């Protein structure tokens, strides 16, 4: 079993996770395997968490990996953008918030906020461009209507910040 498969087991209700008004949140203490040689969270850990919470959010919206496979489709990453604002250390309580701001014809951006829960400070913000593809051809394909209705896009970042208790 790969590390990703281990991380993704039991996605329907992961410990410390919640889905509210289109925002999916996963809470957990920073684990030892996320720490780099400088003693803080490695930048690659953020990208892994982004992927994990995106998959969890989809499963919580009744679109687990198996449902995509059944229709012969998948989301693939086109690009990641991560802005690191302050360091995060071993054991610190972290909340990773994610939401979809909009859907395009065959793609969707997904945004993320990483918040240290002990002081409610934002430690990073990120965005991934996801593309919906046909598993047989690898080409982009239209988003099914039932997928579009499963999510609740939130275009206004300020609304998200307010909903999770952050200023501005």
């Amino acid at each position: 079993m790969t590390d990703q498969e281990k991380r993704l087991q039991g996605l329907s209700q992961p410990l410390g996770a919640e889905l509210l008004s289109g925002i999916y949140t996963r809470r957990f203490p920073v684990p030892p395997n996320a720490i780099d040689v400088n003693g803080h969270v490695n930048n690659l850990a953020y990208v892994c968490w982004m992927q994990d919470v995106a998959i969890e959010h989809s499963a919580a919206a009744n679109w687990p990996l198996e449902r995509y496979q059944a229709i012969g489709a998948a989301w693939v990453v086109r690009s990641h953008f991560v802005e690191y604002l302050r360091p995060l250390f071993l054991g610190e309580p972290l909340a990773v918030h994610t939401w979809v701001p909009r859907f395009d014809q065959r793609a969707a951006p997904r945004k993320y906020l990483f918040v240290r829960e002990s002081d409610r400070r934002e430690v990073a913000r990120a965005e991934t461009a996801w593309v919906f593809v046909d598993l047989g051809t690898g080409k982009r394909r239209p988003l099914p209507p039932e997928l579009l209705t499963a999510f609740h896009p939130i275009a206004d970042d300020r609304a998200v910040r307010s909903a999770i208790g952050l200023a501005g």
Side-chain angles (χ1 to χ4, degrees):
M1 182 178 293
T2 67
D3 287 342
Q4 180 181 359
E5 289 169 331
K6 289 176 189 174
R7 286 194 316 268
L8 298 177
Q9 280 183 335
L11 292 181
S12 60
Q13 284 301 327
L15 183 63
E18 62 190 60
L19 178 62
L20 178 65
S21 302
I23 305 165
Y24 181 84
T25 300
R26 175 77 188 262
R27 291 181 166 84
F28 56 95
V30 172
N33 65 350
I35 303 302
D36 65 16
V37 297
N38 297 315
H40 56 71
V41 172
N42 185 297
N43 61 328
L44 293 177
Y46 289 92
V47 175
C48 286
W49 294 333
M50 290 162 61
Q51 177 177 284
D52 291 350
V53 299
I55 293 169
E56 290 175 13
H57 182 198
S58 190
N62 200 27
W63 276 89
L65 295 174
E66 297 81 16
R67 188 167 180 189
Y68 292 108
Q69 291 170 342
I71 64 168
W75 289 103
V76 296
V77 173
R78 183 170 190 189
S79 64
H80 288 299
F81 168 80
V82 184
E83 182 179 10
Y84 304 101
L85 303 170
R86 52 189 53 85
L88 189 61
F89 300 98
L90 177 65
E92 289 190 312
L94 178 64
V96 182
H97 306 280
T98 187
W99 68 99
V100 176
R102 70 180 184 283
F103 285 105
D104 299 328
Q105 275 190 320
R106 296 177 176 167
R110 176 179 285 280
K111 294 190 174 189
Y112 310 82
L113 285 177
F114 296 83
V115 178
R116 183 174 37 230
E117 299 244 88
S118 58
D119 61 4
R120 303 292 300 149
R121 299 287 307 265
E122 192 176 337
V123 296
R125 64 179 70 105
E127 185 169 334
T128 300
W130 291 92
V131 178
F132 198 64
V133 299
D134 185 279
L135 288 173
T137 66
K139 293 183 180 179
R140 290 182 184 200
R141 77 183 251 187
L143 301 171
E146 60 273 18
L147 174 65
L148 296 173
T149 60
F151 292 87
H152 305 284
I154 306 170
D156 185 357
D157 291 357
R158 291 172 303 190
V160 171
R161 295 178 70 78
S162 175
I164 64 173
L166 294 179

